[in-house]
């Protein structure tokens, strides 16, 4: 019985070992299947990665070309802007020069106009003063002429009176004179 018990025990141990072996074999098969799935997944992911990398390289090439085009366009736009800004600055400078020249001309014309106005006012004032002075002088001369005329009239009257007196005296002398008395006889 002992032998049978040992045999049974050995069979049980063998069965347990077989079960464990089967279990290990199943686990190994599962692991191999998992490994094959993982390998297929790896291959698929690797292929996708290569495709993505290829697309990325293509996209990088396209982007590099676009960036180069954009840089070229940017440089061209910048150059145009700089040229436009330079032209605008030149135009502004010319406008400033013209404005300054026009302002100077306007100031000069304004000064000339003010000077002309001042001169015209001064001339008008001088003409008015000269006119007033002339009027005063004319008035003075008229007064002088009237005075001279009065004096001449007075002198003429005095001369006429003197002449009349001389004539009367002459007549009186003739009447009184011996010669005139001889004539009367």
């Amino acid at each position: 019985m002992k032998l049978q018990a040992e045999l049974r025990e050995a069979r049980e141990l063998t069965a347990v070992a077989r079960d464990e072996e089967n279990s290990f074999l199943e686990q190994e098969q599962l692991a191999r299947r998992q490994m094959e799935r993982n390998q297929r997944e790896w291959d698929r992911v690797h292929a996708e990665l290569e495709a993505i990398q290829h697309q990325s390289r293509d996209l990088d090439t396209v982007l590099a070309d676009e960036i180069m085009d954009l840089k070229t366009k940017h440089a061209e736009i910048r150059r145009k802007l700089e040229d436009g800004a330079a032209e605008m600055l030149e135009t502004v400078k010319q406008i400033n020069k013209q404005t300054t020249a026009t302002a100077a001309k306007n100031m000069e014309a304004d000064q000339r106009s003010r000077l002309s106005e001042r001169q015209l006012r001064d001339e008008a004032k001088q003409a008015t003063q000269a006119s007033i002075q002339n009027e005063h002088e004319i008035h003075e001369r008229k007064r002088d002429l009237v005075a001279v005329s009065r004096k001449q009239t007075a002198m003429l009257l005095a001369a006429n009176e003197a002449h009349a007196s001389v004539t009367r005296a002459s007549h009186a002398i003739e009447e009184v004179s011996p010669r005139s008395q001889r004539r009367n006889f």
Side-chain angles (χ1 to χ4, degrees):
M1 271 235 198
K2 193 173 178 184
L3 195 53
Q4 282 182 349
E6 283 182 15
L7 199 58
R8 218 183 308 155
E9 198 176 306
R11 281 187 202 153
E12 285 178 12
L13 279 175
T14 312
V16 169
R18 255 188 256 139
D19 287 340
E20 285 180 6
E21 182 182 2
N22 286 338
S23 173
F24 284 134
L25 287 175
E26 269 181 45
Q27 286 177 359
E28 183 183 353
Q29 283 178 351
L30 280 173
R32 281 188 186 176
R33 276 187 242 136
Q34 184 67 33
M35 187 179 84
E36 286 172 2
R37 264 187 260 136
N38 288 345
Q39 184 65 40
R40 283 191 302 269
E41 184 68 25
W42 168 260
D43 290 342
R44 186 185 62 77
V45 168
H46 186 68
E48 285 178 10
L49 177 65
E50 285 181 359
I52 289 172
Q53 285 175 342
H54 181 70
Q55 288 175 350
S56 175
R57 282 191 297 271
D58 291 345
L59 188 60
D60 284 347
T61 304
V62 168
L63 289 176
D65 292 343
E66 286 182 14
I67 288 173
M68 188 61 79
D69 289 343
L70 288 174
K71 283 181 180 180
T72 303
K73 287 178 183 178
H74 174 73
E76 186 177 325
I77 290 170
R78 184 177 185 156
R79 184 185 51 76
K80 286 180 180 179
L81 286 173
E82 287 172 352
D83 292 347
E87 288 175 9
M88 192 179 296
L89 283 174
E90 186 61 33
T91 303
V92 166
K93 284 179 184 178
Q94 290 175 356
I95 289 171
N96 282 341
K97 284 179 184 178
Q98 290 173 353
T99 303
T100 304
T102 303
K105 286 179 184 177
N106 288 345
M107 284 179 59
E108 186 178 313
D110 190 40
Q111 287 174 349
R112 280 193 308 248
S113 174
R114 286 181 185 168
L115 181 62
S116 294
E117 286 177 13
R118 197 173 303 127
Q119 287 174 345
L120 287 173
R121 278 194 303 259
D122 290 346
E123 288 173 6
K125 188 176 179 181
Q126 289 173 357
T128 303
Q129 288 174 348
S131 175
I132 291 170
Q133 184 67 30
N134 286 342
E135 285 180 23
H136 284 297
E137 288 176 7
I138 290 170
H139 184 65
E140 287 289 321
R141 287 198 178 137
K142 279 183 182 178
R143 203 173 9 181
D144 289 347
L145 286 173
V146 168
V148 167
S149 175
R150 285 184 185 159
K151 283 182 185 177
Q152 285 178 349
T153 304
M155 286 170 55
L156 186 59
L157 287 174
N160 283 339
E161 254 182 67
H163 180 51
S165 289
V166 168
T167 305
R168 274 182 279 163
S170 168
H171 285 301
I173 291 177
E174 276 182 22
E175 287 179 12
V176 179
S177 97
R179 270 187 182 176
S180 70
Q181 287 178 359
R182 278 190 227 161
R183 268 194 227 161
N184 284 338
F185 298 111

